[in-house]
Amino acid sequence: MKPKVLVTREVFDEVLEYLSQYFEVASNQSDVPMDYETLAAKISDKQGAIITLSDRIDAPLLERCPNLKAVCNIAVGYNNIDLKACRKARVMATNTPGVLDDTTGDFTWTLILATARRLTEAEAYLRKGQWDGWKLKQFLGLDVHHATLGIFGLGRIGQVVARRAIGFEMKVIYHDTRRMPSEIEEACRATFVSKDELLAQADIMTIHVPYSSETHHLISQPELKQMKPTAILINASRGGVVDDSALIEALRSGTIAAAGLDVFENEPKLNPGFLELKNAVLAPHIASSSRATRYKMAMLAAQNLVAALTGKTPPNLLNPF
Ligand code: DGY
C-alpha cells in the first residue's frame, strides 16, 4: 500500500504525476483555500503533505495527525509552521530555498522601478482618459540610478537585489543581524551599516528578512520617522515585518514618499487604507511567480516529501531530530 499524502493547493500536473509514483495522492486541484478545520480533517490520516504559506501547522493540528511524518512547504518562508511542535511530534518540515532567489530579486526591482517612477498611478490616470498631453511636471518621480539603496537583510534574495543595483550605479548599504563575509560584500558592492544609518541614508529601502517574533513590526512608526521624507520602502518579504497601519499613516502624512508592497499583514485581507493611497504600488504576493520558478518550487517540495517518506533526509529539512 502506498503512503497517503495530501496536496493542499493546486500544483502542476507533472508534480502530481511525480508524487503519484510513490503515494496515494489526495489533491485540492480546485484550489479552494482550506480553513484550519478543513485542513486538520483532511491531513489527519495522511503520512505527508505538500502545503503552502496559508496552511498553519501547529501543535493542536499535529495532535490530530498520528501518522504524519512530513510537511513540505512550497515556499522559502516557513512562518506558517511551528518547527518546535513538529520536532516534538517527530514530523519533518521542509521549505524551498534557492530556487526563487533570482525571480524574487527581479520582482523586487519591478517594485522599486514602478514605485520610484509612479508607474501604476500614471497608468491609472491614462486608463481613466485623464491624459490631455505632455507636461513638464507630470508624474515627477525619483531617480533610481545613482541613488542609495538600503537593504535590510543581505541573505540570498537581498544579495540578488544588491547585485542588480550595480547596473544602476547605486550606492548599496545593508544591515543584517551579522556582517556578511567580505567576498559577499565585494560581490554585492555593499557596505555594512547600523540599522539607524540604513534608515537615515537610504533613498530606497528594501526588506529581505524572514518573518518571526524577532522581525514582527521591524518597520513601524519610529523607524519610518527615521527615514528621509523622499524615501521609498519596498517589501517583498513577509507581511507583519512592516506595521501596515503605521506605514499607511506615514504614506498619508508624507513621512516617507512611497511604498512598493507584495506582502501584507493578514493577507489576503488588505488594510483598506492602502487602496486609497496613490503613492503605494500594491501586488498580491507574486514576487516568486514566474512559471519556471513556481514549477521548481512545487517540484522541490515534492522531492522533499518523497525523500522524507522513503527513508532519506530531505534536501531542505528545517528541523533535524
Ligand atoms: C516564499 O517562498 O516564502 C514566498 O513568499 C512564496 O511566494
Side-chain angles (χ1 to χ4, degrees), residues 165-236:
I166 295 169
F168 286 93
E169 301 177 63
M170 300 176 87
K171 175 179 173 189
V172 179
I173 53 176
Y174 78 97
H175 182 73
D176 209 319
T177 46
R178 64 189 170 89
R179 194 168 166 180
M180 289 292 141
S182 56
E183 317 82 80
I184 293 180
E185 288 189 346
E186 276 159 30
C188 295
R189 300 197 202 158
T191 305
F192 182 78
V193 294
S194 67
K195 179 178 169 183
D196 288 345
E197 286 169 318
L198 188 85
L199 292 164
Q201 290 175 22
D203 295 311
I204 297 161
M205 194 174 86
T206 180
I207 306 170
H208 301 283
V209 299
Y211 180 64
S212 67
S213 49
E214 282 85 50
T215 59
H216 177 70
H217 286 186
L218 181 74
I219 303 298
S220 191
Q221 193 195 42
E223 289 76 22
L224 291 161
K225 281 195 169 153
Q226 281 177 268
M227 293 175 70
K228 296 179 185 179
T230 49
I232 68 176
L233 178 72
I234 303 295
N235 187 13

Side-chain angles (χ1 to χ4, degrees), residues 71-72 78 80 133 137 141 208 245 278:
V71 285
C72 301
Y78 49 86
N80 56 312
K137 291 187 178 176
H208 301 283
S245 303
K278 286 190 173 167

Side-chain angles (χ1 to χ4, degrees), residues 53 74-77 100 237-238 285 288 294 297:
L53 47 88
I74 307 182
V76 65
L100 47 73
S237 63
R238 269 291 178 280
H285 204 143
S288 63
R294 286 281 167 93
M297 289 166 69

